[in-house]
Amino acid sequence: MRRTLSALCKNEPGVLAQMAQECGKYDANILSLAAGETENPEVSRIVLRIDGDDAAIDKVERYLDSLDEIIQIDDLSRKDFVDRELVMVKVAMDREQTGQLMQIFEVFRANVVGMGQKTITVELSGDQERVDGLIQMLIPYGIKSMCRSGMIVLKRGDE
């Protein structure tokens, strides 16, 4: 089962490593990990998208919640949230394919950020389904390299 955990934690060295290590202890695979400062520079938000059985993920969540460095942890899988991810993709390109690629980029509202003689690089920000959709459309053209930021999330509404 896939779950999304969002943790507010003290912005201190080692917190991220400790969280990742704990996931491994319980055989919870990290699918996506994003971390960064919040509006308060002393607090970071770490978002973990993890896969594992419910019991393992529950153990990870309970352990993380017990750490002094963790201010608050939420399992957003059971809540309504907004998610975004950034992806940059370098795709093989030849003159005959340029028009087709540009149409794909337009449909997904991806921005061209670099161009070489044989490749074109685009960026896209969106929810996971949109990012996955662009990647699937570009596979037949030959993805030369790709980098994904990891999913970032916030709860919807006033919470």
Side-chain angles (χ1 to χ4, degrees), residues 89-120:
V89 185
K90 185 178 288 189
V91 183
M93 177 189 69
D94 60 38
R95 291 176 194 227
E96 293 81 40
Q97 296 174 329
T98 304
Q100 294 168 334
L101 284 169
M102 296 308 276
Q103 285 179 336
I104 292 170
F105 302 154
E106 187 176 326
V107 166
F108 283 90
R109 294 187 307 274
N111 299 312
V112 175
V113 294
M115 196 170 232
Q117 296 294 320
K118 299 178 183 178
T119 62
I120 187 166

Side-chain angles (χ1 to χ4, degrees), residues 47-142:
V47 177
L48 291 164
R49 179 83 168 141
I50 54 181
D51 187 34
D53 64 55
D54 281 337
I57 296 172
D58 288 342
K59 286 178 188 175
V60 169
E61 186 177 358
R62 278 194 306 277
Y63 175 80
L64 295 177
D65 197 31
S66 74
L67 296 175
D68 290 338
E69 296 84 6
I70 303 297
I71 299 165
Q72 176 185 343
I73 190 161
D74 282 317
D75 183 348
L76 296 181
S77 308
R78 300 176 185 134
K79 298 180 179 169
D80 195 18
F81 63 86
V82 178
D83 67 294
R84 291 293 179 268
E85 183 176 11
L86 172 66
V87 65
M88 292 176 53
V89 185
K90 185 178 288 189
V91 183
M93 177 189 69
D94 60 38
R95 291 176 194 227
E96 293 81 40
Q97 296 174 329
T98 304
Q100 294 168 334
L101 284 169
M102 296 308 276
Q103 285 179 336
I104 292 170
F105 302 154
E106 187 176 326
V107 166
F108 283 90
R109 294 187 307 274
N111 299 312
V112 175
V113 294
M115 196 170 232
Q117 296 294 320
K118 299 178 183 178
T119 62
I120 187 166
T121 304
V122 296
E123 68 177 3
L124 173 73
S125 171
D127 61 26
Q128 193 170 14
E129 292 79 21
R130 186 168 163 215
V131 169
D132 289 342
L134 174 67
I135 292 166
Q136 288 302 309
M137 291 297 294
L138 296 179
I139 287 173
Y141 294 92

